[in-house]
Amino acid sequence: MAQRIPLPIKAWGRAVWEGAEIGADLSSAYLTEDTKGGLFYRWTAPQGVTLRPGIATQLGEGGADRQAQTTDLRQQFPGATTHRKIEGVWSDDAGEGLWFTHSTVKDSEHPEAVANQGMIMDYSFAEQTMTLKESWAVGSDFDAPDNITVSPWGGVVIAEDGSDPNHLAAFTERAGSSALAKDIAERGEWAGPCFGGGRALFANIQSDCTHMITGPMAKQLHR
């Protein structure tokens, strides 16, 4: 296998990036920022540029002529987007939008916001709006949602990066949040959930290893 040296996409700028997804139009990127006060961004490609493999080379050295506007999308939804940081992001299978997560909000940090242990959001490409789908109340079983992925059945799986024991949580608008898996050994955060062949769920416990999870998940994740 030929050695490949990764190239930065300099036109996206520097930030504490966490997640990135490409819009259905292949001309926009949606980025989350994993830092206190982090933002949710949309980057729009210069005219004639398509976001495809090799994009870092296509954008060159990121000079002023290749830059494009980056928009802070939380301005469209100022109340519920007061947060500690924004983390995972994943497109839905229909190409209509994407899901992303907010970490914890505390009263002492943002007195104007409702204290919570994390939020799950939906962003519509067509309407360019955000919708709050779930808020984990203080004292609930889950806290600090991190990575997120869309299941083959339409529901989403969220990796918990909070207080032990951490979970992989299932969420559907029909049934709300429920525990899909639990790390009883309390080894730290779950990360990187994704579905592979045969509808198996792969996920990492960050301090340990990658797990393949199979079983009757459809009932919990059917939208």
Side-chain angles (χ1 to χ4, degrees), residues 136-190:
W136 291 342
V138 174
S140 70
D141 292 335
F142 309 113
D143 66 327
D146 198 327
N147 300 155
I148 189 168
T149 190
V150 179
S151 76
W153 305 281
V156 297
V157 175
I158 306 103
E160 189 184 9
D161 178 16
S163 54
D164 286 327
N166 281 307
H167 301 79
L168 288 176
F171 171 77
T172 65
E173 294 184 64
R174 168 184 54 83
S177 298
S178 61
L180 192 64
K182 178 180 179 180
D183 177 30
I184 60 175
E186 300 189 358
R187 291 166 292 183
E189 70 174 281
W190 284 94

Side-chain angles (χ1 to χ4, degrees), residues 21-25 28-32 40-44 71-77 81 86 88-92 94-102 120-133 148 173:
E21 275 292 319
I22 304 303
D25 57 5
S28 56
Y30 296 82
L31 310 167
T32 60
F40 176 43
Y41 298 90
R42 178 180 59 236
W43 181 87
T44 304
T71 305
D72 169 12
L73 294 177
R74 72 175 182 166
Q75 299 301 324
Q76 298 176 5
F77 198 45
T81 56
I86 300 181
V89 60
W90 196 276
S91 294
D92 61 32
E96 296 175 352
L98 51 80
W99 294 81
F100 64 98
T101 60
H102 287 230
I120 303 166
M121 308 286 294
D122 173 80
Y123 180 80
S124 167
F125 293 139
E127 298 177 6
Q128 297 188 24
T129 56
M130 296 183 233
T131 303
L132 175 64
K133 295 295 186 179
I148 189 168
E173 294 184 64

Side-chain angles (χ1 to χ4, degrees), residues 41-66:
Y41 298 90
R42 178 180 59 236
W43 181 87
T44 304
Q47 186 175 1
V49 173
T50 300
L51 299 178
R52 55 174 175 75
I55 186 62
T57 301
Q58 187 181 8
L59 290 171
E61 295 301 316
D65 60 328
R66 307 303 286 170

Side-chain angles (χ1 to χ4, degrees), residues 79 82 105-107 110-117 119 135 138:
T82 302
V105 170
K106 298 180 180 178
D107 283 327
H110 304 289
E112 74 281 11
V114 176
N116 64 78
Q117 295 183 168
M119 294 182 285
S135 178
V138 174

Side-chain angles (χ1 to χ4, degrees), residues 152-153 194-202 211-215 217:
W153 305 281
C194 63
F195 283 87
R199 298 189 174 183
L201 172 61
F202 294 84
H211 297 264
M212 183 178 77
I213 302 168
T214 59
M217 293 181 280

